[in-house]
Amino acid sequence: MPEPAAPAMTAVLTAVLTEGPLSRVGLARRLGLSQAAVTKAARPLIDLGYLEELAATERTGPGAGRPASPLSIRPDREFFLGVKITADELIGVVCDLTSRVRASAHRPLAGRDVDHVLAELGRLVGDLLDGPGDHRARTRRLGLAISGDVDRATGLVRYSPFLHWHDVPLRELAEQTTGLTVVVENDVKALTTAEHWFGEGVGAESFALVTVGTGIGCGLVVNGRLVAGVHGVAGEIGHIGVDAGGPACHCGGRGCVEAIAGTDAIVERARQRTGRPELTLDGAVALARSGDPRAAAVFAEAGDAIGCGIAAVANLVGPARIVVSGEGLAAYDLFEPSIRTGFERQAFGAAATCPLSIRPLPFEEWARGAATVGIQSFVAS
Amino acid sequence: MPEPAAPAMTAVLTAVLTEGPLSRVGLARRLGLSQAAVTKAARPLIDLGYLEELAATERTGPGAGRPASPLSIRPDREFFLGVKITADELIGVVCDLTSRVRASAHRPLAGRDVDHVLAELGRLVGDLLDGPGDHRARTRRLGLAISGDVDRATGLVRYSPFLHWHDVPLRELAEQTTGLTVVVENDVKALTTAEHWFGEGVGAESFALVTVGTGIGCGLVVNGRLVAGVHGVAGEIGHIGVDAGGPACHCGGRGCVEAIAGTDAIVERARQRTGRPELTLDGAVALARSGDPRAAAVFAEAGDAIGCGIAAVANLVGPARIVVSGEGLAAYDLFEPSIRTGFERQAFGAAATCPLSIRPLPFEEWARGAATVGIQSFVAS
């Protein structure tokens, strides 16, 4: 028997992983392949233990033929590590093949230099693989998620503003440190990939994920694929100008969403409005929740700016749905109403029917996004 | 010999049409097909006269094999009609297979009701097909371009604001009137298709066309395909909110690009600023060109708003290039500088390197877009 084509194996594994269990007939229809091609592609995946046949189910109704034995994933066949690198800590998870979190751990970072981060990464990986669950034997891959300008193909971190890193060959360094196969991705893109494969974006031809926090980011899936941007920029919702008379942004723009709704902007604006230069983010949140109208207005304006930015996404690319998330949404209650009113005002016609899911996001989810990128690179191989 | 697969024929014809002449070897490489599959798919296209083999050219250098005979399109094999329907007139063209205009004609519209427009369409088609060039014998298809909400799959015009049409089954009616096979498309999408296949967007994975006029529209190609919008809305750059303190828009939004830079908005704002309620668009243009600072500021603000909207496109989807066009750019000289400064200010990082082509667009180009949609539907068949 000739070797099955790698693209067919990847297609079968991806479909069962993200939409399974699926019968061979269903897979053939879904993928535009012959049933023989599906059977041939599935064989080695079953032999290697990634797929299994479920008990045959009787099919009824007109056209029912032989009972179908759906193919299902075996989640425990292999585990994947995912680590989100922030300026203050590393957050790591062990996920199974379906991106379900099996274990998690954190390590604070005392510094941001590359050597220190790598040493802590080595310890975190050890904690995760040698902790409960005995994952080491079946773990070969590690996904790293980091904010900034990342070249996934080479694993180079071109620029990470929060870490002050320039041109760090992170994949190579992390492979030397951990002995695992490493893939590095921008954190927002990693999170978008997780939602596209295992979250609210499953099966969507187009889909957007907006993250709210220190920065305001956006991952976009259009025509079934993540949008990368020909010039290396995409999803920069934070730098859409929504207020021509608004504040200057660090990017050189004016009235950018991030200059109104990023964490630093919120703190700065709350300090100005209340005349309390010592105010922290937590203090501003507490003040707004206690009913202070000046502090509350700062969050309402931030939500409105985010809503306008999201409406721009809906008006331009018309995604099936938009998820709004991120650590900034810890103050969810203060943001949500004005995100929705801003969106509804600026979304054009039927674009206003695009469902918005607004929900806080634990940091662990970012690490799960990193693990999903590892799963994806495994499936593509 | 078995029937060649229709998808392979479509792929070969599309590649030769938009990127040709190409050798069979080049086509196989370009399309990821075997050389045998390319040869099989090309055979009927040669037999039917759509493709021809050019004289063999010697190949030189390492790896040179047999001389290659590139396949080339025969532009005269079939002609396509394209008509743009505006509120005031019909603009029609005859194009060859490569979308080169061979003849054109106009007909003014005395009214906007469906029957009147169809009767005039019948006359225009007669003028075009029976005029010089003897195109009737080799013309079977007509593309219609119309602004508004159009369902290309069914040929239904759901809503056309300028014509006050609701749910008009235009394809069916136009086929009865003309006896041709008709395809109906939104005008901005038709123009984008023409640029993607035969203009500045050839070969681009992503590409944007922005049209400036009564409305401000945008056609987007992302990951190689036109973006349609899951909820039926896409490319609505005119309703991105760029000025939170700006004027109310007819859509219910605030500070939309169109509320600042659409033709009606420009006239209205020029009247207010100059205190001349009788001012027309031509009058406002003349005044601005004569150096009146109030009129010039209206155009500069309009250009800045358009530039901000275009920057939002570049920041979100990162297209390879952006073409800015439309009948509104008759006052090109007044718009261009501030379109560029608005874009450069709001484009984030490397997004500012996205090339902008700003150029006026004769109405005939819209009709050519309509013809291109006809060519595209022929090729897909």
Side-chain angles (χ1 to χ4, degrees):
Chain A
M1 194 176 81
E3 193 70 8
M9 283 177 67
T10 295
V12 165
L13 186 53
T14 305
V16 176
L17 197 53
T18 60
E19 300 171 42
L22 287 166
S23 69
R24 291 178 178 82
V25 179
L27 277 164
R29 199 180 308 125
R30 172 81 187 65
L31 301 173
L33 295 172
S34 70
Q35 217 179 316
V38 168
T39 299
K40 192 156 63 167
R43 173 56 43 208
L45 294 169
I46 295 170
D47 292 345
L48 291 167
Y50 290 101
L51 297 184
E52 63 184 341
E53 282 182 280
L54 299 184
T57 53
E58 282 300 327
R59 291 192 298 167
T60 55
R66 288 180 309 163
S69 299
L71 293 173
S72 181
I73 211 80
R74 288 184 59 202
D76 286 357
R77 174 60 182 83
E78 186 161 341
F79 298 111
F80 296 82
L81 289 180
V83 174
K84 155 90 168 173
I85 304 174
T86 76
D88 309 313
E89 65 172 345
L90 303 177
I91 303 106
V93 294
V94 181
C95 287
D96 67 23
L97 253 169
T98 63
S99 207
R100 202 154 65 82
V101 174
R102 299 300 188 94
S104 68
H106 293 219
R107 282 197 86 89
L109 290 176
R112 298 174 186 183
D113 60 292
V114 177
D115 287 346
H116 179 70
V117 172
L118 282 168
E120 290 297 337
L121 177 67
R123 289 186 195 103
L124 179 67
V125 167
D127 292 349
L128 287 166
L129 292 186
D130 299 325
D134 189 24
H135 297 110
R136 185 175 284 279
R138 276 178 280 163
T139 303
R140 295 178 299 157
R141 283 172 189 265
L142 163 65
L144 296 175
I146 187 166
S147 78
D149 184 358
V150 173
D151 183 11
R152 174 171 168 170
T154 61
L156 180 73
V157 177
R158 287 203 203 90
Y159 176 51
S160 176
F162 302 136
L163 292 161
H164 311 299
W165 286 6
H166 288 272
D167 293 325
V168 174
L170 184 59
R171 183 174 77 190
E172 195 183 326
L173 296 171
E175 288 190 341
Q176 287 163 7
T177 303
T178 64
L180 298 167
T181 300
V182 174
V183 57
V184 183
E185 179 60 290
N186 167 275
D187 56 354
V188 177
K189 286 185 180 162
L191 203 55
T192 306
T193 299
E195 287 290 333
H196 190 217
W197 275 42
F198 300 108
E200 295 197 46
V202 170
E205 264 290 283
S206 67
F207 165 78
L209 175 83
V210 176
T211 60
V212 176
T214 311
I216 317 270
C218 176
L220 276 175
V221 170
V222 178
N223 290 332
R225 276 159 50 200
L226 197 68
V227 178
V230 172
H231 305 282
V233 171
E236 288 291 352
I237 192 175
H239 299 283
I240 294 180
V242 294
D243 186 1
C249 182
H250 62 83
C251 75
R254 198 166 66 204
C256 294
V257 174
E258 197 165 299
I260 300 166
T263 304
D264 291 350
I266 287 176
V267 173
E268 182 56 34
R269 287 157 77 86
R271 287 173 178 170
Q272 285 171 5
R273 302 280 179 90
T274 61
R276 291 173 53 175
E278 84 299 347
L279 210 58
T280 61
L281 179 63
D282 288 346
V285 168
L287 210 55
R289 282 190 181 141
S290 76
D292 183 291
R294 298 159 304 177
V298 168
F299 285 95
E301 288 161 20
D304 192 272
I306 295 166
C308 274
I310 293 171
V313 174
N315 290 349
L316 285 177
V317 304
R321 58 168 51 245
I322 301 177
V323 174
V324 187
S325 200
E327 72 279 10
L329 285 186
Y332 177 73
D333 52 313
L334 299 173
F335 277 117
E336 189 187 1
S338 60
I339 289 179
R340 291 198 185 277
T341 53
F343 173 75
E344 282 158 18
R345 188 185 66 243
Q346 291 303 143
F348 182 69
T353 64
C354 175
L356 285 194
S357 307
I358 307 180
R359 54 178 165 80
L361 181 82
F363 250 121
E364 225 171 57
E365 283 295 300
W366 292 95
R368 183 173 164 255
T372 305
V373 173
I375 295 170
Q376 194 182 47
S377 78
F378 160 69
V379 170
S381 76
Chain B
M1 195 174 81
E3 193 71 5
M9 283 176 67
T10 295
V12 166
L13 186 53
T14 304
V16 176
L17 197 52
T18 59
E19 300 171 43
L22 288 165
S23 68
R24 290 178 179 81
V25 179
L27 277 163
R29 200 179 307 123
R30 171 82 186 66
L31 301 172
L33 295 172
S34 70
Q35 216 178 317
V38 169
T39 299
K40 192 154 66 164
R43 173 56 43 210
L45 293 168
I46 295 169
D47 291 346
L48 290 167
Y50 290 101
L51 298 184
E52 64 184 343
E53 283 181 280
L54 299 184
T57 54
E58 283 299 329
R59 294 192 297 167
T60 56
R66 288 181 308 165
S69 299
L71 293 173
S72 181
I73 211 78
R74 288 185 57 202
D76 286 355
R77 173 60 182 82
E78 187 161 342
F79 298 111
F80 297 81
L81 288 180
V83 174
K84 155 90 168 172
I85 304 174
T86 77
D88 310 313
E89 65 172 346
L90 303 177
I91 303 104
V93 294
V94 181
C95 287
D96 66 23
L97 253 169
T98 62
S99 208
R100 203 153 64 83
V101 174
R102 298 301 188 93
S104 67
H106 293 219
R107 282 197 86 87
L109 290 175
R112 297 173 188 184
D113 60 293
V114 177
D115 287 346
H116 179 72
V117 171
L118 283 168
E120 290 297 338
L121 177 67
R123 290 187 195 102
L124 179 66
V125 167
D127 291 350
L128 287 165
L129 292 186
D130 300 326
D134 189 25
H135 298 110
R136 186 176 283 278
R138 273 178 283 166
T139 304
R140 297 178 298 157
R141 285 172 188 264
L142 163 65
L144 296 176
I146 186 166
S147 78
D149 184 359
V150 174
D151 182 12
R152 175 170 168 170
T154 61
L156 181 73
V157 177
R158 288 205 203 89
Y159 177 49
S160 175
F162 302 136
L163 291 162
H164 311 301
W165 286 5
H166 288 273
D167 293 327
V168 174
L170 184 60
R171 183 174 76 189
E172 197 184 325
L173 296 170
E175 289 190 342
Q176 287 162 9
T177 303
T178 63
L180 299 166
T181 299
V182 174
V183 57
V184 184
E185 181 59 291
N186 165 275
D187 55 353
V188 178
K189 287 184 180 162
L191 203 54
T192 306
T193 300
E195 287 291 333
H196 190 215
W197 276 41
F198 299 109
E200 295 197 45
V202 170
E205 264 289 285
S206 68
F207 166 76
L209 174 83
V210 175
T211 60
V212 177
T214 311
I216 317 272
C218 175
L220 277 174
V221 170
V222 178
N223 290 332
R225 276 160 48 202
L226 196 68
V227 178
V230 173
H231 305 282
V233 171
E236 288 291 351
I237 192 176
H239 299 283
I240 294 179
V242 294
D243 186 1
C249 182
H250 63 84
C251 76
R254 200 166 63 206
C256 295
V257 174
E258 197 165 298
I260 300 165
T263 304
D264 292 349
I266 287 175
V267 172
E268 183 55 34
R269 287 157 76 86
R271 286 174 178 171
Q272 285 171 4
R273 303 280 180 89
T274 60
R276 291 173 53 175
E278 83 298 345
L279 210 60
T280 61
L281 179 64
D282 288 346
V285 168
L287 211 55
R289 282 190 181 140
S290 76
D292 181 291
R294 299 159 305 175
V298 168
F299 285 95
E301 287 160 22
D304 192 271
I306 294 167
C308 273
I310 293 171
V313 173
N315 290 349
L316 285 176
V317 304
R321 58 169 50 247
I322 300 177
V323 174
V324 187
S325 198
E327 73 278 11
L329 286 185
Y332 176 75
D333 52 314
L334 299 173
F335 277 117
E336 190 188 359
S338 59
I339 289 179
R340 291 197 183 277
T341 53
F343 172 77
E344 282 158 19
R345 187 185 67 243
Q346 290 305 140
F348 182 70
T353 63
C354 175
L356 285 194
S357 308
I358 307 179
R359 54 178 164 82
L361 180 81
F363 252 119
E364 224 172 57
E365 282 294 302
W366 292 94
R368 181 172 165 256
T372 305
V373 173
I375 295 170
Q376 193 182 47
S377 78
F378 161 70
V379 169
S381 75

